């Protein structure tokens, strides 16, 4: 079955300046589903962009279904970096007769793209589309690590198992989905006054990672390992402060600065592991002077730029390209092994576990910070080691 059945075409002319594109602009080389659907086999792209025209479950944010076209207007004119861009714009996934139909279409498209080695870039609707993005991994036979940039935890703490699926409860459905292939959930840039203490306690109980906005401010690099560990990223535009991104119904005075949001997207693009990214909740009807559309276009540009600057230093082969550091903690009770890439100066930590099919000890490689190594050298066990170990036992 051709993926074209899920999409409505778009016209490149709608996003083209009067004098046409310069040859170094994205719009000049982008393959667009205008009249003919892009051939994803003969001319395989590295990345595939598409919109999702469905905001029925975007609570209080009607109008975010037309996000993709508003963003295209500002993405196409951006200039390419020092790389050969292979990007296809597949058009827009049409809203299904029901929202469940839309989810099924998004799942099928993302699954096929990921299986083909093409990274999907979704431009939302509501953040409930994240659930469909996650479902794409169900048949890929792997554990999945999810990263969400959001000012809130989109959970219903009161009705955990019976919460309806929408933009404010989709995490319930990811966490409780059967079969369970969720390895870890990371929530970045949350604001404490928007999150209940019960939700934070639940994250701790499940050994999930939650990073407050204040921990990211002026030190975005601290969360690079968290994004590097993720298989998929969901970015809620409401995580960006209103002054930088007014185009959403739930934007607030505090949040990420625009340049911080762009840096997070660059980290996501650079991750060798990450295979899909979604941008949700942008609402063009609320966007003063199209500032949010411009910012999201630049965020996508940074993701693309990061992708073409991947270091390909994971998995960790050959061994000659890495430096291994060993230290012990808790009176030599545990030996901790850290690995540093000579190519990128990025760090990983080995977390051992016993394989169910073998008596031999195995280990899981976790992206980490240099600071985690310093903590271990000081004789303390990094929190990241304990949390990961608990998931592996």
């Amino acid at each position: 079955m051709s993926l074209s059945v899920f999409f409505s075409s778009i016209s490149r002319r709608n996003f083209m300046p009067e004098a046409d594109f310069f040859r170094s602009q994205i719009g000049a080389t982008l393959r667009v589903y205008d009249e003919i659907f892009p051939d994803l086999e003969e001319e395989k792209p590295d990345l595939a962009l598409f919109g999702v025209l469905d905001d029925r479950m975007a609570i209080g944010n009607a109008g975010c279904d037309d996000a993709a076209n508003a963003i295209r207007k500002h993405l196409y004119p951006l200039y390419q970096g020092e790389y050969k861009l292979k990007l296809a714009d597949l058009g827009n996934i049409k809203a299904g007769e029901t929202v469940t139909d839309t989810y099924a279409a998004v799942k099928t498209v993302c699954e096929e793209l990921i299986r083909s080695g093409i990274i999907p870039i979704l431009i939302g609707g509501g953040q409930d589309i994240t659930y469909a993005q996650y479902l794409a991994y169900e048949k890929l036979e792997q554990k999945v690590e999810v990263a969400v940039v959001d000012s809130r935890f989109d959970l219903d703490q009161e009705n955990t198992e019976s919460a309806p699926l929408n933009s404010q409860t989709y995490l319930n459905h990811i966490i409780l989905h059967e079969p369970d292939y969720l390895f870890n959930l990371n929530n970045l840039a949350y604001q404490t006054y928007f999150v209940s203490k019960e939700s934070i306690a639940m994250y701790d109980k499940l050994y999930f990672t939650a990073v407050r906005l204040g921990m990211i401010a002026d030190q975005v690099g601290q969360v690079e390992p968290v994004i590097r560990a993720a298989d998929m990223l969901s970015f809620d535009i409401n995580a960006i402060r209103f002054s930088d991104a007014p185009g959403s119904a739930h934007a607030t005075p505090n949040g990420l600065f625009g340049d911080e949001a762009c840096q997070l997207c660059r980290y996501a693009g650079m991750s060798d592991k990450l295979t899909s990214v979604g941008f949700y909740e942008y609402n063009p009807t609320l966007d003063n002077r199209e500032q949010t559309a411009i910012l999201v276009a630049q965020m996508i540009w940074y993701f693309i730029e990061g992708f073409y600057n991947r270091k390909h230093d994971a998995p960790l082969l050959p061994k000659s390209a890495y430096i291994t550091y060993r230290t012990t903690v808790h009176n030599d009770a545990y030996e901790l092994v850290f690995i540093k890439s000579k190519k990128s100066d990025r760090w990983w930590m080995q977390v051992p576990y016993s394989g169910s099919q073998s008596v031999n000890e195995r280990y899981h490689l976790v992206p980490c910070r240099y600071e985690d190594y310093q903590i271990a050298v000081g004789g303390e066990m990094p929190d990241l080691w304990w949390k990961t170990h608990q998931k592996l036992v």
Side-chain angles (χ1 to χ4, degrees), residues 372-391:
D372 292 310
Y373 170 67
Q374 290 179 309
I375 291 170
V377 169
E380 296 295 326
M381 183 70 78
D383 288 342
L384 179 61
W385 192 98
W386 279 118
K387 282 189 173 184
T388 307
H389 183 68
Q390 292 299 322
K391 293 187 179 75

Side-chain angles (χ1 to χ4, degrees), residues 170-186:
Y170 70 90
L171 286 179
N172 291 71
H173 295 263
I174 288 178
I175 294 169
L176 297 173
H177 181 74
E178 292 293 343
D180 176 21
Y181 50 92
L182 178 66
F183 179 73
N184 194 24
L185 174 62
N186 306 294

Side-chain angles (χ1 to χ4, degrees), residues 70-85:
I71 291 166
R72 287 183 174 104
K73 175 183 174 183
H74 298 284
L75 176 65
Y76 284 18
L78 298 181
Y79 288 90
Q80 303 174 36
E82 296 294 329
Y83 45 79
K84 184 179 180 181
L85 179 65

Side-chain angles (χ1 to χ4, degrees), residues 198-208 387 390-391:
E198 290 82 9
S199 295
I200 294 174
M202 188 193 78
Y203 264 52
D204 289 340
K205 181 179 179 180
L206 296 174
Y207 304 105
F208 292 159
K387 282 189 173 184
Q390 292 299 322
K391 293 187 179 75

Side-chain angles (χ1 to χ4, degrees), residues 4 16 47 77 102 115 122 189 217 220 253 312 348 370 384:
S4 62
M16 184 184 297
L47 311 113
T102 303
R115 198 185 297 277
L122 294 77
V220 182
H312 304 291
W348 286 262
Y370 171 60
L384 179 61

